[in-house]
Amino acid sequence: MLVAVPACRKAEIRTYVAPRDKEVVRAAPGAAEGGEPGEGPAAEREALPAVTWALPSGWTDLGSDGGMNVGQFKVGEVMVNITPLASMEGQENMLVNMWRNVLGQPAFSEAEATAALQEAEIAGGKGRFFDLSAERGGSPVRIVTAFLHREGRSWFFKLQGPPDE
């Protein structure tokens, strides 16, 4: 009697080297480390823009996280982040699907993602936003993300928390 034993074949692990992201520093544009403005290592890095705001009543300013966010706030149980990134203009549908993936939801078709985007005025400009809800860790969560493309950057304003807040 011949017994066939299926071969155990493990998935092959692949590795690759990705180029390092451009370092971002919090410095006044043109300010350099130990030299004249526009010189030295700091001049080669992209400085995050300086932003100011008037904090609404009931909001807590958590300051910058030292990373990509130029501002973080908490209002009730809702977290608010302000994040400037390199321009993502033309990739709006991908942004919707990226957050759907984060929430464990299947990707939208291009038409569905486009339909999920709504127009909004942001800082006097034409922006867009999308609103997603799901269950995460057994609790409902809602993420509302507004964004604006301006001067070579995409500005993201993300609110995340319980749907009723």
Side-chain angles (χ1 to χ4, degrees), residues 31-158:
E33 297 168 355
E36 295 298 316
E39 296 178 0
E44 297 169 11
R45 299 182 212 145
E46 182 180 352
L48 287 177
V51 293
T52 60
W53 46 77
L55 201 60
S57 176
W59 287 44
T60 302
D61 188 343
L62 302 176
S64 169
D65 65 357
M68 297 186 323
N69 296 314
V70 294
Q72 292 188 110
F73 311 93
K74 189 163 187 175
V75 56
E77 294 300 312
V78 176
M79 291 294 301
V80 180
N81 296 324
I82 301 174
T83 310
L85 298 174
S87 180
M88 298 183 82
E89 194 164 4
Q91 300 178 54
E92 291 81 1
N93 292 341
M94 180 274 304
L95 295 169
V96 172
N97 281 323
M98 177 187 73
W99 283 108
R100 287 184 59 78
N101 184 54
V102 166
L103 292 175
Q105 297 176 334
F108 274 158
S109 68
E110 187 171 329
E112 291 169 319
T114 298
L117 292 164
Q118 300 176 51
E119 289 190 12
E121 182 180 327
I122 302 173
K126 182 180 172 184
R128 295 173 121 181
F129 76 96
F130 55 93
D131 188 341
L132 303 173
S133 295
E135 229 177 81
R136 199 177 199 186
S139 298
V141 66
R142 183 175 178 192
I143 296 176
V144 179
T145 303
F147 57 91
L148 171 72
H149 306 297
R150 180 180 280 174
E151 297 174 5
R153 291 189 189 273
S154 292
W155 288 84
F156 293 89
F157 306 88
K158 183 184 80 167

